[in-house]
Short mmCIF file of all heavy atoms in Angstrom, two decimals:
data_model
loop_
_atom_site.label_atom_id
_atom_site.label_comp_id
_atom_site.label_asym_id
_atom_site.label_seq_id
_atom_site.Cartn_x
_atom_site.Cartn_y
_atom_site.Cartn_z
N LYS A 46 5.36 -0.59 4.55
CA LYS A 46 4.17 -0.85 3.76
C LYS A 46 3.84 -2.33 3.71
O LYS A 46 3.34 -2.85 2.71
CB LYS A 46 4.32 -0.29 2.34
CG LYS A 46 4.53 1.21 2.31
CD LYS A 46 4.58 1.72 0.89
CE LYS A 46 4.91 3.19 0.85
NZ LYS A 46 3.92 4.03 1.43
N ASP A 246 5.82 16.30 -1.82
CA ASP A 246 6.41 16.09 -3.15
C ASP A 246 6.79 14.63 -3.35
O ASP A 246 7.35 13.98 -2.46
CB ASP A 246 7.68 16.94 -3.31
CG ASP A 246 7.35 18.41 -3.51
OD1 ASP A 246 6.28 18.69 -4.08
OD2 ASP A 246 8.16 19.25 -3.09
N LEU A 247 6.47 14.13 -4.55
CA LEU A 247 6.89 12.80 -4.98
C LEU A 247 7.88 13.00 -6.12
O LEU A 247 7.52 13.54 -7.17
CB LEU A 247 5.70 11.97 -5.45
CG LEU A 247 6.01 10.57 -6.00
CD1 LEU A 247 6.53 9.68 -4.88
CD2 LEU A 247 4.77 9.96 -6.65
N TYR A 248 9.14 12.59 -5.92
CA TYR A 248 10.18 12.82 -6.92
C TYR A 248 10.38 11.57 -7.75
O TYR A 248 10.79 10.52 -7.24
CB TYR A 248 11.48 13.22 -6.24
CG TYR A 248 12.61 13.50 -7.20
CD1 TYR A 248 12.57 14.60 -8.05
CD2 TYR A 248 13.72 12.66 -7.26
CE1 TYR A 248 13.60 14.86 -8.93
CE2 TYR A 248 14.76 12.91 -8.14
CZ TYR A 248 14.71 14.01 -8.99
OH TYR A 248 15.73 14.26 -9.86
N LEU A 263 11.96 6.08 -7.57
CA LEU A 263 11.44 7.34 -7.05
C LEU A 263 11.80 7.49 -5.58
O LEU A 263 12.23 6.54 -4.93
CB LEU A 263 9.93 7.42 -7.25
CG LEU A 263 9.06 6.25 -6.73
CD1 LEU A 263 8.80 6.39 -5.24
CD2 LEU A 263 7.74 6.19 -7.47
N SER A 264 11.67 8.69 -5.08
CA SER A 264 11.87 8.95 -3.66
C SER A 264 10.53 8.81 -2.96
O SER A 264 9.55 9.46 -3.35
CB SER A 264 12.43 10.36 -3.45
OG SER A 264 13.73 10.46 -4.00
N GLU A 265 10.48 7.96 -1.94
CA GLU A 265 9.24 7.75 -1.21
C GLU A 265 8.80 9.06 -0.54
O GLU A 265 9.61 9.72 0.12
CB GLU A 265 9.43 6.67 -0.15
CG GLU A 265 9.52 5.27 -0.73
CD GLU A 265 8.16 4.64 -0.94
OE1 GLU A 265 7.25 5.33 -1.45
OE2 GLU A 265 8.00 3.47 -0.61
N PRO A 266 7.54 9.46 -0.69
CA PRO A 266 7.07 10.69 -0.04
C PRO A 266 7.06 10.54 1.47
O PRO A 266 6.75 9.49 2.00
CB PRO A 266 5.66 10.86 -0.60
CG PRO A 266 5.23 9.47 -0.99
CD PRO A 266 6.48 8.78 -1.44
N GLN A 267 7.41 11.60 2.15
CA GLN A 267 7.43 11.61 3.61
C GLN A 267 6.41 12.61 4.13
O GLN A 267 6.04 13.55 3.45
CB GLN A 267 8.83 11.98 4.13
CG GLN A 267 9.95 11.10 3.57
CD GLN A 267 9.83 9.66 4.00
OE1 GLN A 267 9.45 9.38 5.14
NE2 GLN A 267 10.17 8.74 3.12
N LEU A 287 1.39 2.98 -1.95
CA LEU A 287 1.49 3.87 -3.09
C LEU A 287 1.73 3.04 -4.34
O LEU A 287 2.60 2.16 -4.36
CB LEU A 287 2.62 4.87 -2.89
CG LEU A 287 2.90 5.82 -4.06
CD1 LEU A 287 1.76 6.82 -4.22
CD2 LEU A 287 4.22 6.54 -3.86
N LEU A 303 5.57 -1.16 -5.45
CA LEU A 303 6.83 -1.26 -4.73
C LEU A 303 7.38 -2.67 -4.80
O LEU A 303 6.67 -3.63 -4.54
CB LEU A 303 6.64 -0.84 -3.27
CG LEU A 303 7.89 -0.86 -2.38
CD1 LEU A 303 8.89 0.17 -2.86
CD2 LEU A 303 7.51 -0.59 -0.94
N TYR A 308 14.58 -2.24 -0.48
CA TYR A 308 14.37 -0.96 0.17
C TYR A 308 15.67 -0.17 0.21
O TYR A 308 16.74 -0.72 0.34
CB TYR A 308 13.83 -1.14 1.58
CG TYR A 308 12.51 -1.85 1.56
CD1 TYR A 308 12.45 -3.21 1.78
CD2 TYR A 308 11.34 -1.17 1.26
CE1 TYR A 308 11.25 -3.88 1.72
CE2 TYR A 308 10.13 -1.82 1.20
CZ TYR A 308 10.09 -3.18 1.43
OH TYR A 308 8.90 -3.85 1.35
N THR A 311 17.01 6.34 0.64
CA THR A 311 16.55 7.58 -0.01
C THR A 311 15.65 7.34 -1.22
O THR A 311 15.04 8.28 -1.71
CB THR A 311 17.77 8.41 -0.48
OG1 THR A 311 18.56 7.62 -1.39
CG2 THR A 311 18.63 8.82 0.71
N GLU A 312 15.57 6.12 -1.70
CA GLU A 312 14.76 5.88 -2.89
C GLU A 312 14.17 4.48 -2.85
O GLU A 312 14.57 3.63 -2.06
CB GLU A 312 15.59 6.06 -4.16
CG GLU A 312 16.75 5.10 -4.28
CD GLU A 312 17.61 5.37 -5.50
OE1 GLU A 312 17.81 6.55 -5.85
OE2 GLU A 312 18.09 4.39 -6.10
N ALA A 313 13.19 4.26 -3.71
CA ALA A 313 12.53 2.96 -3.79
C ALA A 313 12.31 2.61 -5.26
O ALA A 313 12.20 3.49 -6.11
CB ALA A 313 11.20 2.98 -3.05
N TYR A 315 9.93 0.77 -8.05
CA TYR A 315 8.58 0.30 -8.32
C TYR A 315 8.61 -0.54 -9.60
O TYR A 315 9.08 -0.09 -10.64
CB TYR A 315 7.62 1.47 -8.45
CG TYR A 315 7.16 1.98 -7.11
CD1 TYR A 315 8.06 2.51 -6.20
CD2 TYR A 315 5.82 1.88 -6.74
CE1 TYR A 315 7.63 2.95 -4.96
CE2 TYR A 315 5.39 2.32 -5.50
CZ TYR A 315 6.31 2.85 -4.61
OH TYR A 315 5.90 3.26 -3.38
#
Side-chain angles (χ1 to χ4, degrees):
K46 299 184 185 295
D246 286 330
L247 177 67
Y248 181 68
L263 53 81
S264 294
E265 287 274 44
Q267 306 295 323
L287 176 69
L303 181 65
Y308 300 97
T311 58
E312 62 184 37
Y315 278 63

